[in-house]
Amino acid sequence: MRRSRLKHAGLAVLLMLGSWTAAGSLPAAANEEAPASAGLLKAMQDDFGLTRAQAEERLAAEERATGLEPAARRAAGGAFGGSWFDAGTGRLTVAVTDDASATTVRAVRATGARVRTVEHSARALDAAKTRIDALSAPSGVGGWHVDPAANSVVVEVVEDERADNDVQRFLDRARAAGPVTVRTVPKAPGTFAAGTVGGDPYYTGNVRCSIGFSVYGGFVTAGHCGGAGAGVSGWDGSYIGTFQGSSFPDNDYAWVSVGSGWWTVPVVLGWGTVSDQLVRGSAEAPIGASICRSGSTTHWHCGTVLAKNETVNYSQGAVHQMTKTSVCAEGGDSGGSFISGDQAQGVTSGGWGNCTSGGETWFQPVNEILNRYGLTLHTA
């Protein structure tokens, strides 16, 4: 990207690749920014209807919950039934099976988590989901995931197709695989790639997508945006690099090498809604935590984490291990950043709805992408 681009107030390349005067330098706004969570306060007030004090309190509570979750999981051991952040209490809730010993329950509570007793362990629920993953789902089934609060596998069915014979047969087979709860969704999920239009995207062929997170040597993004070997150009048509690895469906992730005068920095664009956000790590936020998304079409929007390890049934095929959120997105937002506080979470994959009427969006977790390709997240 050329320095002249900085003259435009609408600077909109998600990670600001190559947009400063020297490689590795940061913009003044980023250098002066407090921890990234502070930059989310305005968005949380707008999207969640919170006061500034309430937003600050929630972010602090989410950070505590994220930090203690690994210890609480270890304390629960084989009795672990899942965990989630409860916005009402501001605490992490950990489910343990009803056969857990009193010693185990005390150990979990000692971490600072609340305890809920459930019938099924997380291991049993994951096994049931794996059996459902092996089934062939009709188009009327949107996806399925383990819901620790419901202590079952939730199967989502498109509202208008619930009575469909193929859907009913799938549900019968799913129920035979383990504990299942059926919920309806307004529309089937789809990816958020888009044809070439104006704006500040990256392009591969006639597809427009959004950059996810900087890694050393390039950036990560969605796999459905391009196959391995495909060339990538920036907002100005200049060559950025090449898709070095890509997987879709089954997964929805990819990484692109960066060169030709472009470089990487640990920043997510706030699009003027919030200050541009520094990325300081990739600690995974719990279910129930607030999360925000940045993309080249609809810019900055926030919501909450609704589910993890969901199988999403796109028309192109099922994609596994996705995280579902209440954040909206639209075509061209694919590949863009999901961030919670200053922690990278994942890259936008798809969903349903839009940012006018609302909807839900899934992302592929960033740590899975880093591990798959042996990449290192570029952090501040």
Side-chain angles (χ1 to χ4, degrees), residues 111-337:
T111 68
R114 300 177 70 219
V115 173
R116 178 186 292 183
T117 302
V118 295
E119 180 179 358
H120 307 289
S121 69
R123 184 178 301 172
L125 294 175
D126 287 342
K129 180 183 176 294
T130 297
R131 290 189 287 270
I132 297 173
D133 282 345
L135 304 178
S136 178
S139 60
V141 176
W144 51 95
H145 65 272
V146 171
D147 184 336
N151 197 227
S152 68
V153 180
V154 172
V155 178
E156 295 183 334
V157 175
V158 179
E159 190 171 14
D160 292 343
E161 300 188 47
R162 181 159 185 169
D164 179 81
N165 289 335
D166 290 339
V167 169
Q168 288 301 312
R169 278 192 289 270
F170 178 86
L171 292 177
D172 288 342
R173 297 178 67 189
R175 291 186 179 103
V180 162
T181 299
V182 179
R183 296 177 184 164
T184 57
V185 293
K187 296 179 181 178
T191 57
F192 285 128
T196 301
V197 296
D200 290 297
Y202 79 83
Y203 300 91
T204 176
N206 67 341
V207 173
R208 173 171 67 86
C209 283
S210 301
I211 295 169
F213 292 96
S214 282
V215 296
Y216 287 97
F219 64 84
V220 293
T221 188
H224 70 263
C225 293
V232 173
S233 58
W235 65 270
D236 60 354
S238 66
Y239 179 75
I240 296 177
T242 305
F243 276 85
Q244 298 297 317
S246 180
S247 178
F248 180 79
D250 187 29
N251 305 292
D252 193 6
Y253 51 60
W255 84 279
V256 175
S257 60
V258 166
S260 302
W262 294 67
W263 59 83
T264 66
V265 291
V267 172
V268 170
L269 190 65
W271 296 96
T273 302
V274 299
S275 300
D276 298 339
Q277 302 294 294
L278 292 176
V279 178
R280 300 183 187 274
S282 57
E284 185 178 331
I287 292 172
S290 59
I291 194 166
C292 295
R293 179 193 56 74
S294 184
S296 64
T297 299
T298 58
H299 301 171
W300 184 269
H301 288 275
C302 298
T304 57
V305 177
L306 298 177
K308 296 184 180 183
N309 192 25
E310 178 152 3
T311 299
V312 180
N313 190 35
Y314 292 137
S315 61
Q316 300 95 327
V319 176
H320 303 93
Q321 296 178 310
M322 302 270 270
T323 298
K324 180 167 69 174
T325 76
S326 63
V327 187
C328 67
E330 296 179 13
D333 287 326
S334 278
S337 316

Side-chain angles (χ1 to χ4, degrees), residues 34 37-42 44-46 49-59:
S37 59
L40 303 181
L41 294 175
K42 182 178 184 300
M44 293 182 71
Q45 291 174 74
D46 292 343
L50 303 177
T51 65
R52 181 181 178 88
Q54 288 170 332
E56 290 174 336
E57 182 178 354
R58 175 159 173 169
L59 285 171

Side-chain angles (χ1 to χ4, degrees), residues 56-96:
E56 290 174 336
E57 182 178 354
R58 175 159 173 169
L59 285 171
E62 290 177 1
E63 185 176 359
R64 289 192 296 271
T66 299
L68 67 84
E69 198 277 342
R73 179 189 292 261
R74 288 192 297 270
F80 181 71
S83 64
W84 61 94
F85 176 76
D86 185 337
T89 63
R91 295 175 63 187
L92 184 76
T93 297
V94 174
V96 297

